[in-house]
Amino acid sequence: MADVARLAGVSPMTVSHVVNGHRYVRDETKARVLAAMAELDYQPNLAARALRRGRVGAIGLAVGHIHYAYNANLARTVTAQAAALGYHVAIEATGGDRNGEAATWQRSPLFYDGLLINANQLERLPDGVRADFPVVFLGESMSDPAVDHVAMANVEGTRLATQHLLDSGCRRIAMAGGSLTTAKRMVTLRTQGYVDALTRAGRPIDPALVVGASDAPPLRTGAVAIATMVAAGTSFDGVVCTTDSVAYGVLRGLAEAGLNCPRDVRVVGFDNLPDSCYTVPSLTSIDPHDEDLVAAALGMLVERMKGFTGPGRSIVGACSVVERESTR
């Protein structure tokens, strides 16, 4: 910066004002400074600037697996909204397990001004983490009252999906990707919504109809769920899926079994991913209103980054059914 000032015939402070846009600088003076910067190939030292300001202008987004369709869509929404607020976003992959989620949280203060974490297993502030570091938990339930939390309507979403199938005439409704015993929080919550809807309707809960929760990729999970029920001779005329990606696998599994959707079996997904408009048939899905969830989460995070130190806050988002061909 001193070299630029000497070449332009101004003070280093004037160069700083031009670089950072803190104060008005006359057009003639600004032109000399910019010409000197170009001649010397001057580049601001972003690391030094971050140390001086105490912030880096970046937010971390931690997700389980970056190749999952929902996480990719979430990253797109977060980066777009964060950019409008003047922040860059870096994507972290945790692997979807407790250790990976805790490790990402622990190292984030070294690289980011704040962290949005979409955790599958972590429920409380992990050991060794700075309690004052701005974090918003985005996704499943968080039991730590000190942490801000924006939750998806997991229970209500699958309750709506199941009720939609009941209203369309389905009587033997399966759940693909669900489990009555697993400890995975998203799966547990979404299975709960399915069970609640059937219970309210006076329908029995048949364990043979809840299939597919595993460590397999979502597409395979859906296809295997259908193959398992067909091989066992289990009758079903509707399928609620834990995610749209699982539902894509279900549609493939139905085709391989010679079953027509929606004539023989009706299917509902969860996430309302853009690709759901293009499956054959197009997929009815639960819309979790991701734009609103992300806006709320970023709003909380920016408040924390600006110094808010109040107790943790919790928001549960809304959801709605987007009906397409798979249930018509």
Side-chain angles (χ1 to χ4, degrees):
M1 190 174 287
D3 294 338
V4 171
R6 280 192 294 270
L7 183 60
V10 299
S11 69
M13 185 60 70
T14 298
V15 177
S16 176
H17 292 331
V18 172
V19 171
N20 296 297
H22 289 163
R23 292 185 184 178
Y24 173 75
V25 178
R26 288 188 307 166
D27 291 342
E28 180 185 349
T29 303
K30 184 176 181 179
R32 294 207 314 272
V33 171
L34 293 175
M37 290 171 61
E39 182 175 338
L40 295 174
D41 192 25
Y42 170 80
Q43 300 291 331
N45 187 325
L46 299 181
R49 179 183 293 181
L51 287 172
R52 184 176 69 252
R53 294 178 177 176
R55 60 184 180 86
V56 296
I59 293 170
L61 171 63
V63 297
H65 303 280
I66 59 176
H67 59 282
Y68 281 7
Y70 175 77
N71 290 337
N73 193 60
L74 177 66
R76 177 194 60 78
T77 304
V78 170
T79 53
Q81 292 195 19
L85 296 173
Y87 292 94
H88 298 288
V89 177
I91 313 299
E92 294 264 5
T94 66
D97 64 71
R98 191 180 304 275
N99 291 336
E101 291 166 357
T104 299
W105 200 329
Q106 288 164 344
R107 66 172 175 264
S108 288
L110 298 174
F111 304 106
Y112 315 124
D113 297 324
L115 175 69
L116 292 178
I117 180 167
N118 185 11
N120 295 316
Q121 298 296 324
L122 208 58
E123 299 176 30
R124 301 188 65 82
L125 190 72
D127 295 336
V129 171
R130 277 177 42 194
D132 63 338
F133 179 65
V135 172
V136 174
F137 197 93
L138 179 63
E140 321 315 334
S141 60
M142 160 61 75
S143 60
D144 194 326
V147 180
D148 289 329
H149 178 219
V150 176
M152 190 179 291
N154 289 299
V155 177
E156 178 63 11
T158 45
R159 190 194 69 77
L160 283 178
T162 307
Q163 188 61 52
H164 178 70
L165 290 176
L166 288 169
D167 292 343
S168 71
C170 295
R171 293 296 176 262
R172 291 276 296 172
I173 300 174
M175 183 164 192
S179 173
L180 297 171
T181 59
T182 185
K184 290 186 176 181
R185 300 195 63 79
M186 181 273 282
V187 172
T188 301
L189 293 169
R190 294 188 182 178
T191 304
Q192 180 184 331
Y194 160 83
V195 170
D196 287 352
L198 292 180
T199 301
R200 292 181 189 183
R203 300 282 173 183
I205 309 303
D206 184 351
L209 290 171
V210 183
V211 291
S214 68
D215 292 328
L219 294 169
R220 178 167 173 75
T221 292
V224 168
I226 298 301
T228 298
M229 290 190 292
V230 170
T234 304
S235 63
F236 59 98
D237 56 4
V239 184
V240 172
C241 304
T242 49
T243 68
D244 279 3
S245 293
V246 170
Y248 302 157
V250 164
L251 293 177
R252 178 64 187 180
L254 291 173
E256 291 181 350
L259 296 170
N260 177 273
C261 176
R263 186 187 64 219
D264 302 319
V265 180
R266 300 187 176 195
V267 179
V268 182
F270 196 122
D271 291 332
N272 196 33
L273 296 177
D275 289 351
S276 296
C277 296
Y278 299 99
T279 56
V280 179
S282 58
L283 180 67
T284 294
S285 185
I286 299 299
D287 184 352
H289 299 189
D290 280 335
E291 296 282 347
D292 295 337
L293 292 175
V294 170
L298 284 173
M300 286 182 175
L301 189 63
V302 170
E303 287 179 354
R304 291 287 181 188
M305 293 189 297
K306 290 183 176 179
F308 176 73
T309 58
R313 300 156 293 179
S314 183
I315 295 174
V316 178
C319 63
S320 57
V321 178
V322 177
E323 186 178 9
R324 298 190 181 94
E325 295 165 349
S326 67
T327 58
R328 289 179 186 159

